[in-house]
Amino acid sequence: DPGRDARRLFSHAIGVDPGRLTLVLPEPVDGERLAVFEALVTRRCAREPVSHLTGSRAFYGRRFKVTRDVLDPRPETEALIEAALSEPFGHVLDLGVGSGCILLTLLAEMPDARGVGVDISEAACAVARENAIALGLSDRAHVTVSDWVSGVEGMFDLVVSNPPYIARAEMADLAPELRDWEPEGALTDGADGLSSYRAILDGAAQVLAPGGRLIMELGAGQTEAVGTLAVARDFAPIALIPDLDGRDRVIVLGLPQSGF
């Protein structure tokens, strides 16, 4: 939506909330700020994401800092948030924390909960920590570098993840905003798109407390494959949640000993 992009970039350039833009449009624009806007438009023409140009992205009613080191939060992932919030939890683990949008949203919505977010990228962890501080959640959110659960201690009644699920062969067909600007490691596993699910399922079995849930976002057409991987590791499917397009977006799993 070029018009929407232009409005967002213009609001950012002149330092006005997008909701107030129509009120200030009749006023003259400072030449320096106009130059900033034109530079932003030039960068957008090169398919740089708007979130990278403005430095933030809205997600579930909050604003998160975004850089090239983290995946851009997307509205589809809010289905995972809704699934997680459908039942109470006290201790949540986010595997592949990125910007922190999942972990921090869950903690903000569940004031008595605490959580851990891990990512293999220290740069991503740094962004998540900044967002935790900005949202006043740093006392309940611990973010650290870890290759999945290798550096995780303790047990959790909720484990969540939006893993890199795009197969290497599919990368060339992605929009330039994704392929050229977002971190490759957050998009693809460099293989068949399923290796992250294998690692998460293996790891979650070690850290999921009795009665706990594992909730993961799914890639297109991966429902059956991920379900098969889960059942082979003794996970029991609890629910499949579609996105607004009707595609399976989120899978909710439990272990037999959890009583599901």
Side-chain angles (χ1 to χ4, degrees), residues 49-244:
V50 172
S51 60
H52 290 188
L53 299 174
T54 62
S56 67
R57 175 76 178 253
F59 180 80
Y60 212 80
R62 297 174 181 84
R63 190 153 291 278
F64 290 83
K65 177 180 178 178
V66 173
T67 73
R68 291 195 66 173
D69 296 308
V70 299
L71 195 66
D72 200 355
R74 287 176 170 77
E76 306 88 78
T77 302
E78 294 187 356
L80 188 154
I81 299 294
E82 294 289 348
L85 293 175
S86 66
E87 295 184 21
F89 58 88
H91 200 197
V92 55
L93 171 64
D94 185 357
L95 297 173
V97 70
S99 67
C101 67
I102 295 175
L103 173 68
L104 299 176
T105 297
L106 292 177
L107 294 181
E109 295 291 325
M110 198 70 71
D112 293 330
R114 56 193 175 91
V116 174
V118 301
D119 203 292
I120 199 169
S121 165
E122 171 56 44
C125 287
V127 174
R129 293 185 195 107
E130 286 189 52
N131 281 323
I133 292 171
L135 293 170
L137 296 168
S138 57
D139 60 330
R140 292 193 286 127
H142 176 64
V143 178
T144 188
V145 175
S146 177
D147 186 2
W148 301 122
V149 303
S150 63
V152 174
E153 297 180 356
M155 302 295 287
F156 302 83
D157 55 349
L158 176 63
V159 178
V160 295
S161 184
N162 179 17
Y165 51 64
I166 299 171
R168 166 58 62 184
E170 299 172 329
M171 287 293 289
D173 296 328
L174 295 181
E177 285 85 349
L178 279 168
R179 185 188 63 238
D180 300 337
W181 294 97
E182 300 210 35
E184 184 175 290
L187 295 170
T188 180
D189 61 355
D192 62 354
L194 296 172
S195 61
S196 294
Y197 292 108
R198 298 184 185 100
I200 291 168
L201 288 163
D202 289 339
Q206 304 172 37
V207 299
L208 193 62
R213 295 173 294 157
L214 169 61
I215 306 179
M216 300 183 291
E217 187 165 333
L218 296 170
Q222 292 181 322
T223 304
E224 183 176 352
V226 174
T228 299
L229 291 172
V231 170
R233 290 160 172 79
D234 294 327
F235 280 90
I238 297 173
L240 283 172
I241 300 169
D243 58 20
L244 295 177

Side-chain angles (χ1 to χ4, degrees), residues 13-26:
I14 65 175
V16 171
D17 185 271
R20 298 187 62 253
L21 186 58
T22 56
L23 300 177
V24 301
L25 281 177

